[in-house]
């Protein structure tokens, strides 16, 4: 590797380097302790220094220095990990540089020329290099070490590296931690003790920060059943953040098969950089905090003060600018933040240069004043440009808008509110779409009703109106602790839909996509998929006790929303519990608003909840269990099996308590959820368990605990609810006894915030990331056990061998995805398929694994044999082989009888050289429609039935093998015997059998020809030549003939019946799989 020329002090270096070659201008040196005579104390000391110190020499044992005859200064210009590499550089210098140097007059000119040439070479390499780091020189050195130490494929992209210690028992080993796209790697060499660790991100069960007396702060990793502890990081938080990002990326790409099309930082695994990962983490945090859509990215951050009119003071915080939003969040503990869509901005003013201030005018007669903005002129210009680019027709155009124009526009919208509604995307709905919330249709409020509950409802509305007047109304209102206090008391029925849209961010989604819902409804009407079938089945199970869903109006609206969403996001489609949640949304929001609320919940607020594996809900359950252990330890001490909490709480998370609480109480929980996210649900769950603590501690089994919780939920009421009794749900399971005390939902929510309100959203997100690894691997273990249980019935492998075989097969599947986003396993991935087909191999991956595991892999024609085996096992001709098919092939080779192995080999040669529709790589492009539309369950049932009724294949059912196929069959036999102890005897036996078969066929052909009427003479005339050629083409052999002939040769029978050591092949495959 060429190095940026750096001056070297050779006097002290002579103790560590030995000169091997030299001339007038260059010196080739070898590091002492490497190569011949490299052992002993010198080798140990030098190796230790190289592993601990940060220099090129710590891995490159060879280097080239530049010198001039009349100078004592040396310059390092190249290094090499191997003698071959450094000799190649040396020869290049001899050939291309030496002849030129003689024309220079001075040593300074020679040195300048050499340095310029080397820098030019490095620049040329950099053009095609994937390295895009802040210090490319150091990174190139680290990349060289990484490639030499770990021997990973060159395609593996190194992201970054850190100095740290790995704790082997109680002994710290100082070394270097390397983070790459697919692996975590560590290397240490201290006094002859080498430590080398390679862990793929997909193997990690646990990744967490730790702090103990011994390790101080460190990072703990659990993978492959072992624990790894790393500490003494200079930048611990940065390291952990990148590790989390890489682990999450690996899980989503390998297990969920995400393609990251909308994320340029992660789209190509060969182009991932540290900067890109850090930017992605920052963008995710920004979007989660302000509830923005995935297309928004954090572009700029400015520290400033914001004038808060209701408190009459300036609050310190940060301005965050994205493509479509200007956001502010306080940092002084006032919990004040505001979101300003740029479409709402009327103008930007910079009145006072002294205070570095700018004023942002927004619709609704409001202006926000920011002061002490360091780069306020640049920020103001940027906001103006963005407003001009995305402004509505009423205020298009760029540049600064004068104050009088701002005021005129404000008055215009005050006088024409319908135009304001248009700008936030609330018009343009389809005529077929309901434009009213179902609650206003089925339970209109009577303004003259003086019922105490209605009076209290009016008081709530008045409180919110006062809040709006003081803090603003709409998307750019201030959100503070007072806003949360009002939410905790319960949102008024008339304002619930508006506030849900506001706090969830759905109002922005709808404004950015005007008319999108009506278009989706139109396109999805009449479609028939698995999702639409499931939706139809669940329509009448959605709040069946509510009058709105006892009529066609409510059912039709629910159908349209769910079908439109399934059409918009086929990856999620439809999942149970979506119907219950959508029903409640339709009660309080217009149909289009309910659709965008559903989008916000499924894609932002509850990620990965609504899919076939409900990973998101399981992750939050794991987070909930961890919080119970930390906040309610006495309960965990009593409950020996924590799975009880999982089974009970699943419906709490999936339906936001809607399925367990009466509807009039559940909507208060939904209020809190839309304001605080999943944190509100976790807090309430802890409060419920805390409230019932004494009764739960007296329980003797899970059933008793479930009964206690069910009775509790039945007695949670909402005393302030204005809903009539026909709408409110009666307590289910209440036996009429008065022993159960009624609990008001408002009191329960207040208690949850008082006791557990210190739970921060950032803490919840961290717990989610940590538990996601464990949940996914637990699901993978369950899948593996199901697959092994099915496959073990059809093969003779031991349970241990089958388990290892599954891990190798799964790893090979992942290897096909490590450095590519377009392999056949990814292209044809379909999560709706049975678990047996979740991991499959294309022909290339199959060939690689087959060559590692097959006892016939030593054969010189193994690639052709592997391809033929792949085609034979691929019964449905989709270009992929699943684990069961793979095991069937190996089982014949390892455990089959002589007849079974011979029959398998015979069938391999019956296949044509190239099947129709098969490319040279063996992938059959036959089913482009696979995985789309409806899944034919009847076809699956028929396939399983056929497998159960499948009879043993008779040898008489096999077709005859023709002459060309027989010749190839014979060649394969010869290749199989190569290197066998009885190789000569086997060759002779095959020759004997082949000759015998050919003579038998010749005799049979002659007899058949002699018995035929009017057949030409075999004595040989000119006219008989074409007939003979035709007859030669018709030569063929039945399997019984070949079997009978081979059985006459005991040496052949012994060869095929010889037992093969499966364990040795598994061990070899485990070691060599990654390198292969």
């Amino acid at each position: 590797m060429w190095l940026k020329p750096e001056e070297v002090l050779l006097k002290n270096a002579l103790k560590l380097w030995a000169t091997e070659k030299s001339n007038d201008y260059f010196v080739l040196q070898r590091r002492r302790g490497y190569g011949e005579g490299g052992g002993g104390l010198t080798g140990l000391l030098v190796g230790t220094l190289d592993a601990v110190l940060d220099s090129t020499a710590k891995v490159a044992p060879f280097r080239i220095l530049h010198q001039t005859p009349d100078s004592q200064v040396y310059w390092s210009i190249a290094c090499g990990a191997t003698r071959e590499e450094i000799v190649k550089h040396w020869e290049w210098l001899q050939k291309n540089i030496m002849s030129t140097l003689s024309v220079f007059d001075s040593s300074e000119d020679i040195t300048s020329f050499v340095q310029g040439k080397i820098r030019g070479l490095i620049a040329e390499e950099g053009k095609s290099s994937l390295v895009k780091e802040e210090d490319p020189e150091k990174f190139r050195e680290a990349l060289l070490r990484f490639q030499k130490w770990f021997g990973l494929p060159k395609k593996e992209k190194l992201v970054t590296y850190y100095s740290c210690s790995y704790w082997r028992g109680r002994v710290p080993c100082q070394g270097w931690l390397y983070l790459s796209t697919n692996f975590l790697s560590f290397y240490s060499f201290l006094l002859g003790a080498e430590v080398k660790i390679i862990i793929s991100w997909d193997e990690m069960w646990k990744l967490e920060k730790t702090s103990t007396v011994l390790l101080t702060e460190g990072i703990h990793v659990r993978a492959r059943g072992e624990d790894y502890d790393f500490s003494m990081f200079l930048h611990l938080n940065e390291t952990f953040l990148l590790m989390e990002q890489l682990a999450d990326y690996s899980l989503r790409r390998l297990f969920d098969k995400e393609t990251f099309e909308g994320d340029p930082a992660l789209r190509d695994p060969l182009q991932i950089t540290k900067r890109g990962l850090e930017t992605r983490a920052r963008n995710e945090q920004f979007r989660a905090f302000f509830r923005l859509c995935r297309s928004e990215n954090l572009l700029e951050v400015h520290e400033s003060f914001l004038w808060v009119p209701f408190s009459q003071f300036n609050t310190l915080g940060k301005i965050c600018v994205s493509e479509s939003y200007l956001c502010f969040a306080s940092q002084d503990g006032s919990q004040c933040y505001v979101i300003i869509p740029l479409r709402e901005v009327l103008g930007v003013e910079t009145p006072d240069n002294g205070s570095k201030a700018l004023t942002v005018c927004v619709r609704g007669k409001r202006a926000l004043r920011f002061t002490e903005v360091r780069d306020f002129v640049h920020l103001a210009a940027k906001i103006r440009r963005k407003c001009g680019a995305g402004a509505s027709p009423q205020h298009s155009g760029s540049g600064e808008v004068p104050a009088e124009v701002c005021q005129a526009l404000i008055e215009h919208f005050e006088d024409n509110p319908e135009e304001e509604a248009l700008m936030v995307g609330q018009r343009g709905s389809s005529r077929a779409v309901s434009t009213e919330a179902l609650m206003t249709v089925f339970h209109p409020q009577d303004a003259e009703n003086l019922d105490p509950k209605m009076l209290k409802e009016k008081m709530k509305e008045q409180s919110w109106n006062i809040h709006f007047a003081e803090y603003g109304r709409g998307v750019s209102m201030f959100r503070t602790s007072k806003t949360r206090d009002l939410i905790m008391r319960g949102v008024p029925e008339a304002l619930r839909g508006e506030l849900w849209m506001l706090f969830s961010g759905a109002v922005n989604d709808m404004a950015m996509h005007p008319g999108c819902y009506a278009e989706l409804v139109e396109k999805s009407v009449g479609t028939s998929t698995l999702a639409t079938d499931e939706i139809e089945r669940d329509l009448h199970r959605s709040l069946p006790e509510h009058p709105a869903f006892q009529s066609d109006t409510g059912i039709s609206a629910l159908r349209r929303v769910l079908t439109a969403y399934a059409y918009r996001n086929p990856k999620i489609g439809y999942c149970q519990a979506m119907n219950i949640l959508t029903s409640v949304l339709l009660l309080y929001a217009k149909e289009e608003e309910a659709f965008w609320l559903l989008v916000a919940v499924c894609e932002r607020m509850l990620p990965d909840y609504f899919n076939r594996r409900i990973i998101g809900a399981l992750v939050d359950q794991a987070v909930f269990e961890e919080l119970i252990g930390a906040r309610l330890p006495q309960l965990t001490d009593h409950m020996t099996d924590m799975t009880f909490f999982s089974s009970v709480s699943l419906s709490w998370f999936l339906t936001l308590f809607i399925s367990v609480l009466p509807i009039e109480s559940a909507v208060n929980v939904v209020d809190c959820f839309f304001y605080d996210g999943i944190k509100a649900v976790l807090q309430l769950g802890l409060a419920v368990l805390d409230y019932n603590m004494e009764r739960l501690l007296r329980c003797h089994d899970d059933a008793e605990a479930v009964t206690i919780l069910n009775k509790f939920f039945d007695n949670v009421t909402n005393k302030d609810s204005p809903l009539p009794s026909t709408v409110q749900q009666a307590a289910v399971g209440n036996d009429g006894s008065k022993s159960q005390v009624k609990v008001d939902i408002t009191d329960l929510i207040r208690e949850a915030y008082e006791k557990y309100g210190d739970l921060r959203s950032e803490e919840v997100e961290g717990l989610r990331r940590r538990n996601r690894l464990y949940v996914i691997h637990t699901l993978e273990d369950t899948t593996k056990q199901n697959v092994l249980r099915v496959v073990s019935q059809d093969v003779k492998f031991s349970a241990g061998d089958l388990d290892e075989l599954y891990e190798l097969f799964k790893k090979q599947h992942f290897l096909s995805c490590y450095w590519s986003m377009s392999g056949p396993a990814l292209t044809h991935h379909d999560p709706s398929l049975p678990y047996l087909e979740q991991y499959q191999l294309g022909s290339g991956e199959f060939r690689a694994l087959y060559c590692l595991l097959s006892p016939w892999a030593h054969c010189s024609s193994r690639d052709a044999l592997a391809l033929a085996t792949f085609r034979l096992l691929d019964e449905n001709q989709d270009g992929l082989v699943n684990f069961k098919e793979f095991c069937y092939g190996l089982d014949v080779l390892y455990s089959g009888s002589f007849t079974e192995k011979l029959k398998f080999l015979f069938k391999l040669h019956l296949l044509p050289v190239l099947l129709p529709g098969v490319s040279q790589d063996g992938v059959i492009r036959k089913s482009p429609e696979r995985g789309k539309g409806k899944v034919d369950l009847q076809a699956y049932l028929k396939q399983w039935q056929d497998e159960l009724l499948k009879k043993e294949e008779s040898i008489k059912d096999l077709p005859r093998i023709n002459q060309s196929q027989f010749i190839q069959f014979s060649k394969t036999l010869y290749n199989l015997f190569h290197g066998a102890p009885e190789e000569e005897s086997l060759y002779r036996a095959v020759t004997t059998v082949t000759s015998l078969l050919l003579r038998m066929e010749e005799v049979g052909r002659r007899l058949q020809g002699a018995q035929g009427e009017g057949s030409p003479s075999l004595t040989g005339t000119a006219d008989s030549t074409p007939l003979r050629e035709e007859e030669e083409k018709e030569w063929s052999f039945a399997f019984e003939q070949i079997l009978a002939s081979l059985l006459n040769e005991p040496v052949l029978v012994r060869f095929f019946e010889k037992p093969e050591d499966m364990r040795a092949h598994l061990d070899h495959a485990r070691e060599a799989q990654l390198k292969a």
Side-chain angles (χ1 to χ4, degrees):
M1 181 178 77
W2 299 110
L3 300 176
K4 180 182 177 182
E6 289 186 359
E7 192 173 333
V8 174
L9 188 60
L10 201 59
K11 182 179 177 181
N12 294 331
L14 288 174
K15 298 177 182 178
L16 299 176
W17 293 91
T19 299
E20 294 206 336
K21 292 183 181 182
S22 66
N23 55 38
D24 291 341
Y25 300 105
F26 301 103
V27 179
L28 190 155
Q29 295 183 328
R30 173 180 54 82
R31 188 78 162 168
R32 294 186 186 276
Y34 291 89
E36 297 178 4
L41 183 60
T42 303
L44 292 178
L45 292 175
V46 173
T48 301
L49 285 172
D50 290 349
V52 174
L53 299 179
D54 186 14
S55 68
T56 310
K58 67 170 174 271
V59 62
F62 299 95
R63 72 178 182 180
I64 296 175
L65 304 179
H66 164 62
Q67 65 169 353
T68 53
D70 55 348
S71 175
Q72 297 299 315
V73 178
Y74 288 76
W75 300 83
S76 63
I77 60 172
C79 68
T82 63
R83 189 181 299 275
E84 292 76 14
E85 181 184 2
I86 205 69
V87 167
K88 185 178 178 182
H89 287 337
W90 179 266
E91 291 175 350
W92 188 91
L93 291 170
Q94 294 284 87
K95 181 179 178 181
N96 297 280
I97 300 294
M98 286 296 293
S99 59
T100 310
L101 297 182
S102 59
V103 303
F104 293 99
D105 297 327
S106 66
S107 59
E108 289 81 4
D109 292 341
I110 292 173
T111 300
S112 298
F113 174 78
V114 171
Q115 290 180 352
K117 195 68 177 176
I118 298 303
R119 288 193 178 99
L121 292 171
I122 293 173
E124 284 296 320
E125 289 180 356
K127 288 181 181 179
S128 59
S129 174
L130 298 177
V131 177
K132 297 177 182 177
E133 299 298 325
E134 295 176 357
D135 191 344
E137 192 64 34
K138 281 191 174 182
F139 194 85
R140 290 172 74 247
E141 296 174 9
L143 181 61
L144 181 69
R145 298 193 298 270
F146 173 71
Q147 292 173 344
K148 175 181 181 292
W149 280 340
F150 303 108
L152 295 172
K154 286 195 174 182
K155 292 185 292 185
E156 179 64 11
K157 174 70 169 66
L158 177 64
V159 176
T160 189
Y161 61 102
Y162 297 96
S163 172
C164 70
S165 290
Y166 162 67
W167 289 81
R168 189 164 57 175
R170 294 189 175 184
V171 180
C173 302
Q174 182 64 31
W176 294 86
L177 184 72
Y178 294 85
L179 308 181
S180 60
T181 305
N182 300 293
F183 299 95
L184 177 152
S185 310
F186 176 84
Y187 184 86
S188 172
F189 184 89
L190 292 174
L191 299 177
E194 184 181 57
V195 178
K196 188 184 297 183
I197 298 171
I198 302 175
I199 306 170
S200 60
W201 298 111
D202 55 86
E203 294 176 321
M204 287 189 186
W205 279 67
K206 185 179 288 187
L207 175 63
E208 59 185 351
K209 281 197 286 190
T210 57
S211 180
T212 63
V213 177
L214 181 64
L215 300 181
T216 62
E217 279 193 313
I219 296 174
H220 173 72
V221 174
R222 181 166 181 79
R224 302 181 295 229
E226 298 182 17
D227 293 299
Y228 303 87
D229 290 292
F230 303 93
S231 66
M232 301 184 187
F233 288 96
L234 189 60
H235 306 287
L236 177 68
N237 292 331
E238 175 189 301
T239 309
F240 185 71
L241 172 68
L242 290 173
M243 291 173 73
E244 275 191 329
Q245 286 284 308
L246 287 167
D248 181 67
Y249 173 61
S250 181
L251 291 184
R252 294 184 184 279
R253 189 163 57 92
L254 299 178
F255 291 100
D256 298 338
K257 300 298 184 294
E258 284 191 28
T259 56
F260 299 96
E261 286 299 327
D263 195 339
L266 301 180
R267 190 181 301 135
D268 185 354
L270 301 180
Q271 297 285 357
I272 290 179
T273 62
K274 172 187 173 184
R275 186 178 303 169
L277 289 171
E278 289 174 338
T279 301
R280 179 174 182 265
R282 192 163 56 248
N283 289 335
E284 285 183 339
Q285 186 178 6
F286 166 70
R287 289 191 292 258
F289 184 84
F290 291 108
R291 305 275 171 80
L292 302 179
C293 61
R294 292 184 180 181
S295 61
E296 295 299 316
N297 296 296
L298 182 59
L299 303 178
E300 294 181 7
V301 178
H302 300 267
E303 193 169 275
S304 74
F305 286 91
L306 172 64
W307 173 252
V308 185
F310 49 84
S311 300
Q312 297 295 307
F313 74 93
N314 284 309
T315 180
L316 175 64
K318 288 185 177 180
I319 301 172
C320 302
V321 183
S322 69
E323 288 86 350
S324 307
Y325 296 91
L326 178 73
C327 307
F328 177 87
S330 65
Q331 294 178 280
D332 57 4
S334 61
Q335 297 179 338
C336 170
Y337 68 99
V338 62
I339 303 168
I340 309 170
L342 295 179
R343 66 179 183 275
E344 301 277 315
V345 175
L346 302 180
V348 182
E349 302 173 23
T350 53
D352 186 2
N353 293 338
S355 61
K356 299 179 181 178
L358 71 153
T359 302
V360 179
C361 302
V362 297
R363 286 188 297 109
K365 292 184 178 180
R366 295 187 58 218
L368 290 91
R369 179 179 171 82
F370 300 95
T371 57
E372 298 301 327
V373 184
R374 179 176 298 177
D375 201 358
F376 71 102
V377 176
H378 163 76
L379 179 59
K382 191 176 189 72
I383 296 173
R384 290 181 194 126
R385 285 197 305 271
K386 288 188 169 292
C387 290
S392 62
Q394 286 87 347
H395 52 91
S396 61
S398 58
E400 184 170 347
V401 182
E404 59 272 14
V405 177
C406 293
Q407 185 60 35
L409 285 170
I410 290 170
E411 292 174 357
H412 172 77
F413 285 117
E414 290 295 323
D415 296 335
N416 301 275
E418 71 281 355
E419 293 187 25
E420 182 174 346
L422 176 62
M423 289 185 62
V424 296
Q426 294 179 353
R427 293 183 65 189
S429 301
S430 170
R431 293 178 182 178
V433 174
S434 174
T435 57
E436 294 293 335
L438 294 179
M439 194 63 79
T440 62
V441 176
F442 288 89
H443 177 52
Q445 292 189 10
D446 185 359
E448 298 180 0
N449 188 349
L450 299 181
D451 180 84
K453 289 186 177 181
M454 286 304 300
L455 288 175
K456 194 155 190 179
E457 185 76 1
K458 293 295 181 185
M459 291 173 63
K460 279 186 184 180
E461 288 185 31
Q462 186 61 28
S463 299
W464 275 98
N465 288 330
I466 295 171
H467 186 79
F468 290 149
E470 196 172 354
Y471 293 83
R473 185 169 189 169
V475 288
S476 56
M477 73 176 287
F478 286 91
R479 295 105 187 274
T480 68
S481 55
K482 290 185 178 180
T483 313
R484 180 181 281 112
D485 292 340
L486 287 175
I487 292 285
M488 288 163 53
R489 298 176 201 165
V491 174
E493 299 281 315
L495 297 175
R496 186 159 272 138
E498 176 188 343
L499 293 176
W500 285 359
M501 289 288 290
L502 176 63
F503 296 136
S504 67
V507 64
N508 294 317
D509 293 334
M510 191 169 76
M512 298 294 285
H513 303 86
C516 177
Y517 175 65
E519 185 179 340
L520 287 171
V521 169
E522 188 175 344
K523 289 181 178 179
S524 61
V525 168
T527 57
S528 178
T529 63
L530 179 62
T532 57
D533 289 349
E534 292 177 344
I535 289 170
E536 290 297 327
R537 183 188 63 204
D538 289 345
L539 283 177
H540 295 279
R541 305 176 186 175
S542 310
L543 299 186
E545 69 286 342
H546 197 285
F549 298 100
Q550 295 170 1
S551 70
D552 185 62
T553 303
I555 294 295
S556 297
L558 181 61
R559 179 187 291 112
R560 285 193 294 270
V561 172
L562 292 175
T563 306
Y565 184 79
Y567 186 87
R568 177 186 186 271
N569 190 345
K571 184 177 178 181
I572 292 178
Y574 171 77
C575 181
Q576 283 190 343
M578 286 174 68
N579 60 317
I580 297 175
L581 177 60
T582 308
S583 301
V584 175
L585 299 179
L586 282 167
L587 290 178
Y588 294 98
K590 299 173 184 177
E591 189 175 318
E592 184 178 5
E593 294 173 341
F595 171 80
W596 289 111
L597 282 168
L598 184 63
V599 169
V601 171
C602 294
E603 298 176 15
R604 285 201 306 272
M605 303 187 71
L606 296 179
D608 295 331
Y609 260 61
F610 302 101
N611 54 38
R612 294 184 178 275
R613 298 200 295 175
I614 57 172
I615 290 175
L618 296 176
V619 168
D620 283 343
Q621 278 187 307
V623 171
F624 186 54
E625 289 179 9
E626 195 168 336
L627 290 173
I628 293 172
R631 306 290 183 118
L632 303 172
Q634 61 271 43
L635 194 58
T636 55
D637 292 341
H638 178 72
M639 295 283 186
T640 54
D641 186 7
M642 291 292 285
T643 56
F644 162 74
F645 298 111
S646 299
S647 59
V648 169
S649 63
L650 181 60
S651 62
W652 302 358
F653 292 102
L654 280 175
T655 66
L656 306 178
F657 283 92
I658 295 170
S659 62
V660 293
L661 286 174
I663 185 63
E664 65 275 8
S665 301
V667 290
N668 286 38
V669 180
V670 180
D671 295 339
C672 298
F673 167 75
F674 278 126
Y675 190 82
D676 273 323
I678 195 62
K679 168 180 174 287
V681 180
L682 292 168
Q683 289 175 179
L684 185 62
L686 291 171
V688 167
L689 295 179
D690 190 16
Y691 191 93
N692 293 277
M693 177 76 72
E694 293 183 5
R695 286 187 288 272
L696 290 173
L697 291 176
R698 291 196 297 267
C699 289
H700 301 290
D701 53 41
D702 293 351
E704 190 177 349
V706 170
T707 303
I708 287 173
L709 291 176
N710 286 340
K711 285 185 177 180
F712 170 78
F713 286 128
D714 290 341
N715 286 277
V716 175
T717 62
N718 187 349
K719 61 185 180 183
D720 297 332
S721 174
L723 298 182
S725 57
T726 54
V727 174
Q728 296 191 22
Q729 294 176 351
V732 180
N734 198 350
D735 55 4
S737 62
K738 298 184 180 179
S739 59
Q740 195 76 19
V741 180
K742 298 287 184 182
V743 180
D744 186 67
I745 187 63
T746 307
D747 297 334
L748 187 61
I749 289 174
R750 184 182 297 108
E751 184 176 345
Y753 273 93
E754 288 174 355
K755 288 188 175 182
Y756 308 108
D758 59 332
L759 182 65
R760 295 180 299 109
S761 298
E762 294 82 0
E763 180 185 352
V764 172
E765 290 302 319
L767 291 172
R768 274 178 159 180
R769 288 192 295 270
R770 186 169 73 195
N771 283 282
R772 183 179 172 81
L773 294 170
Y774 172 78
V775 167
I776 286 182
H777 281 292
T778 302
L779 291 173
E780 287 294 309
D781 258 10
T782 303
T783 298
K784 180 173 77 170
Q785 296 307 320
N786 291 334
V787 171
L788 296 184
R789 185 169 58 251
V790 172
V791 175
S792 62
Q793 300 172 6
D794 301 322
V795 298
K796 300 182 180 67
F797 296 131
S798 67
D801 288 349
L802 198 59
D803 188 283
E804 285 198 43
L805 200 57
Y806 180 86
E807 293 298 333
L808 288 168
F809 186 88
K810 177 179 171 182
K811 190 68 176 179
Q812 194 67 38
H813 170 86
F814 283 166
L815 285 173
S816 70
C817 310
Y818 273 176
W819 303 286
S820 171
M821 302 295 281
S822 58
L826 285 169
T827 307
H828 293 276
H829 175 71
D830 183 0
S832 67
L833 291 176
Y835 47 75
L836 266 175
E837 298 188 35
Q838 286 302 301
Y839 296 118
Q840 303 183 91
L841 300 182
S843 62
E845 296 76 39
F846 176 89
R847 182 166 59 246
L849 190 57
Y850 174 88
C851 292
L852 290 173
L853 290 171
S854 171
W856 294 351
H858 64 277
C859 174
S860 61
S861 58
R862 65 179 185 180
D863 286 344
L865 204 59
L867 182 57
T869 305
F870 176 81
R871 293 177 184 171
L872 179 64
L873 297 178
D874 183 19
E875 294 182 359
N876 60 353
Q877 297 185 1
D878 62 349
L880 296 168
V881 167
N882 63 33
F883 181 66
K884 184 178 181 181
E885 294 166 337
F886 182 77
C887 286
Y888 165 74
L890 279 186
D891 187 56
V892 172
L893 301 186
Y894 278 100
S895 308
S897 63
F898 171 73
T899 304
E900 290 171 335
K901 290 180 181 178
L902 192 65
K903 183 171 68 174
F904 187 79
L905 194 61
F906 181 86
K907 289 164 70 175
L908 291 181
H909 291 81
L910 288 174
L911 295 171
V913 177
L914 214 64
L915 286 173
V918 184
S919 62
Q920 289 292 346
D921 62 357
V923 179
I924 301 177
R925 320 296 181 189
K926 184 181 176 185
S927 311
E929 72 284 354
R930 176 177 178 174
K932 298 180 180 178
K934 260 177 124 171
V935 176
D936 192 349
L937 300 178
Q938 295 297 328
Y940 278 126
L941 292 173
K942 187 176 185 305
Q943 180 183 339
W944 294 333
Q945 185 180 16
D946 292 342
E947 288 181 2
L948 292 172
L949 299 176
K950 190 184 294 182
K951 296 181 180 179
E952 186 69 27
E953 184 180 36
S954 170
I955 59 176
K956 294 182 179 180
D957 298 332
L958 295 173
R960 296 172 69 86
I961 193 170
N962 63 36
Q963 186 176 6
S964 61
Q965 293 168 340
F966 177 73
I967 292 172
Q968 188 59 46
F969 176 81
S970 302
K971 287 181 180 179
T972 302
L973 286 177
Y974 278 113
N975 290 330
L976 284 177
F977 303 148
H978 180 69
E982 298 180 287
E983 184 175 350
E984 263 188 60
S985 302
L986 289 166
Y987 284 159
R988 284 198 299 270
V990 171
T991 304
T992 302
V993 169
T994 305
S995 301
L996 176 61
L997 286 168
L998 289 173
R999 285 199 300 272
M1000 288 170 58
E1001 181 62 22
E1002 177 70 18
V1003 171
R1005 188 172 58 81
R1006 287 177 179 273
L1007 288 173
Q1008 186 179 11
Q1011 293 172 0
E1013 294 182 6
S1015 60
S1017 171
L1018 296 175
T1019 56
T1021 63
D1023 297 334
S1024 67
T1025 304
L1027 182 59
R1028 287 180 179 176
E1029 292 177 357
E1030 185 179 347
E1031 287 174 346
E1032 285 179 4
K1033 291 181 182 177
E1034 293 176 356
W1035 281 12
S1036 62
F1037 302 96
F1039 177 72
E1040 299 99 307
Q1041 291 175 284
I1042 297 175
L1043 176 62
S1045 302
L1046 291 176
L1047 282 171
N1048 289 326
E1049 298 293 335
V1051 66
L1052 289 173
V1053 176
R1054 285 198 304 273
F1055 175 83
F1056 280 103
E1057 290 190 340
K1058 177 184 65 176
E1060 297 287 347
D1061 186 3
M1062 178 70 170
R1063 172 55 48 187
H1065 282 84
L1066 287 171
D1067 293 341
H1068 168 68
R1070 195 166 51 249
E1071 295 293 327
Q1073 186 177 28
L1074 191 57
K1075 297 177 182 178

